[in-house]
Amino acid sequence: MRCWRRRRRAHYSGSQGDDCVEVAIAEQVVHVRDSKDVTRPDFVVGHEEWSRFMGFVSDA
């Protein structure tokens, strides 16, 4: 059973709005998917791992 929150799309997506990554934060995990191919399964990580990743990209 999936309990989705609203997916968020990057502000810097393509002009058609389909060239980016979408993120949905759920209660236990974070779901990430490619907006160009929504038929592929989501990449799923825990909140701690997602926070570390966001810290890494924010510092880059």
Side-chain angles (χ1 to χ4, degrees):
M1 178 179 189
R2 289 184 176 179
C3 180
W4 294 107
R5 293 187 181 180
R6 192 175 122 235
R7 287 192 183 270
R8 297 186 161 274
R9 186 172 284 188
H11 292 288
Y12 297 104
S13 61
S15 60
Q16 300 297 315
D18 61 349
D19 190 18
C20 66
V21 170
E22 296 176 337
V23 176
I25 299 175
E27 189 174 320
Q28 298 290 323
V29 294
V30 177
H31 297 260
V32 182
R33 76 176 179 187
D34 181 351
S35 64
K36 293 178 299 220
D37 188 358
V38 297
T39 62
R40 291 182 144 191
D42 292 354
F43 176 74
V44 180
V45 296
H47 289 277
E48 184 176 328
E49 291 82 2
W50 182 251
S51 292
R52 275 189 287 191
F53 171 73
M54 292 304 295
F56 174 77
V57 297
S58 295
D59 292 341

